[in-house]
């Protein structure tokens, strides 16, 4: 992990925090790398059964892309369920602003707790860029509401987000982590194999946007190109010998 994303584990619950409050938890390369590592760590953990994703401070869950970074965001690599197939339940705990790509992170979580003063906004159409992963939102909330959020680029209140199903629990300001922990403790007591199976079945049921589908293909390609078998294929060709593949 790195300082931009922290991982705290206790009683079977992993709290994963975007730790850039001075930048409204904006997503730059360090956050991207930290989140990708966090999902893999959660998957690999023998103790953590559920994760909570949040942002440090109450001003913003995340302001989305770090506009001070010239690197384009690569949501394929760090979006849960795309960059890493997360097998365990993940709860978004939102306070304050949730902007742009941060909404992508929330939509890919299984549950969401938000404070009553939270605001959701996707301003990319006003700014002239977008990655397209957000389009999957149209499969998770009513189509017209998703299009309003994406095309108009105007804030959606926490109450409205709750009404249309983007948020599961609304709480007073400052109480989002307490409520998220309550849900996490209940999930941590459930059967891990059943929850993992239901996550896979739900993921197979919900339609994917073109960018999300491409992200899954990219992940599979990366797995091949980073494998020992790929290197063995290259080495055997150079050495003019039959390859010895081992499936790794």
């Amino acid at each position: 992990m790195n300082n931009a994303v922290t991982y705290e584990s206790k009683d079977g619950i992993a709290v994963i925090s975007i730790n850039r409050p001075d930048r409204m938890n904006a997503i730059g390369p360090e956050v991207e790398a930290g989140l990708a590592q966090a999902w893999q760590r959660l998957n690999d953990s023998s103790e953590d059964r559920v994760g909570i994703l949040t942002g440090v401070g109450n001003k913003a869950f995340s302001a989305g892309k770090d506009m001070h970074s010239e690197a384009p965001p690569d949501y394929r690599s760090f979006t849960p369920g795309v960059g890493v197939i997360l097998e365990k339940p993940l709860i978004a705990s939102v306070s304050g602003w949730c902007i742009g790509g941060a909404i992508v992170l929330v939509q890919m979580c299984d549950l969401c707790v938000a404070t009553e003063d939270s605001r959701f906004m996707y301003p990319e159409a006003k700014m002239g860029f977008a990655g397209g992963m957000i389009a999957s939102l149209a499969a998770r909330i009513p189509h017209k509401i998703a299009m309003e959020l994406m095309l108009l680029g105007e804030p959606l209140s926490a109450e409205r987000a709750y009404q249309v199903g983007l948020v599961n629990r609304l709480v007073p300001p400052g109480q989002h982590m307490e409520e998220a922990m309550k849900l996490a403790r209940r999930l941590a007591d459930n059967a891990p194999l059943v929850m993992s199976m239901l996550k896979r079945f739900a993921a197979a049921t919900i339609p994917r946007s073109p960018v999300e589908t491409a992200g899954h293909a990219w992940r599979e390609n990366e797995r091949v190109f980073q494998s020992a078998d790929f290197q063995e294929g290259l080495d055997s060709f150079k050495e003019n010998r039959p390859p010895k593949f081992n499936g790794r």
Side-chain angles (χ1 to χ4, degrees):
M1 305 301 300
N2 57 46
N3 292 333
V5 176
T6 62
Y7 187 110
E8 300 178 68
S9 177
K10 184 178 180 180
D11 299 328
I13 300 168
V15 177
I16 299 161
S17 304
I18 304 175
N19 184 31
R20 299 187 70 200
D22 57 319
R23 298 284 305 135
M24 292 180 65
N25 298 319
I27 301 170
E30 288 188 351
V31 172
E32 294 179 11
L35 288 175
Q37 294 167 12
W39 310 141
Q40 195 60 60
R41 179 174 174 180
L42 179 56
N43 264 346
D44 294 342
S45 174
S46 60
E47 297 180 357
D48 295 331
R49 294 190 171 190
V50 57
I52 297 174
L53 174 63
T54 193
V56 173
N58 295 322
K59 188 174 183 179
F61 170 77
S62 172
K65 174 177 165 45
D66 186 351
M67 300 305 292
H68 288 263
S69 172
E70 295 182 1
D74 185 3
Y75 292 105
R76 301 172 306 173
S77 65
F78 67 90
T79 302
V82 181
V84 175
I85 299 300
L86 192 59
E87 299 175 353
K88 300 174 183 179
L90 183 62
I91 302 168
S93 181
V94 177
S95 177
W97 285 101
C98 181
I99 300 174
I103 299 178
V104 173
L105 294 176
V106 170
Q107 77 184 37
M108 299 303 288
C109 291
D110 301 295
L111 301 174
C112 178
V113 174
T115 58
E116 294 165 343
D117 60 351
S118 295
R119 295 292 184 271
F120 299 83
M121 185 178 180
Y122 191 81
E124 271 76 343
K126 293 182 175 182
M127 302 177 71
F129 68 87
M133 190 74 75
I134 188 71
S136 295
L137 187 64
R140 291 169 168 82
I141 65 174
H143 171 260
K144 296 295 189 296
I145 306 300
M147 299 310 294
E148 176 183 341
L149 183 67
M150 289 187 283
L151 300 185
L152 289 180
E154 297 174 353
L156 188 74
S157 70
E159 176 64 31
R160 185 60 170 153
Y162 173 75
Q163 292 171 353
V164 301
L166 184 60
V167 172
N168 296 89
R169 300 283 193 277
L170 274 184
V171 296
Q175 296 185 22
H176 54 299
M177 282 304 298
E178 179 182 350
E179 183 66 21
M181 288 297 293
K182 288 180 182 178
L183 291 174
R185 291 190 188 101
R186 289 160 62 184
L187 290 173
D189 289 335
N190 290 346
L193 288 178
V194 173
M195 292 193 294
S196 177
M197 179 191 73
L198 293 176
K199 279 203 63 162
R200 290 195 303 272
F201 286 0
T205 301
I206 298 174
R208 297 171 178 171
S209 74
V211 177
E212 187 178 346
T213 299
H216 284 270
W218 171 84
R219 186 190 67 251
E220 294 298 326
N221 285 337
E222 285 292 292
R223 182 185 176 197
V224 170
F225 292 133
Q226 294 175 3
S227 69
D229 276 357
F230 175 69
Q231 188 61 49
E232 170 62 13
L234 293 178
D235 292 344
S236 64
F237 178 79
K238 294 175 184 177
E239 297 165 8
N240 195 28
R241 60 172 174 80
K244 296 180 180 179
F245 298 125
N246 56 29
R248 294 194 298 272

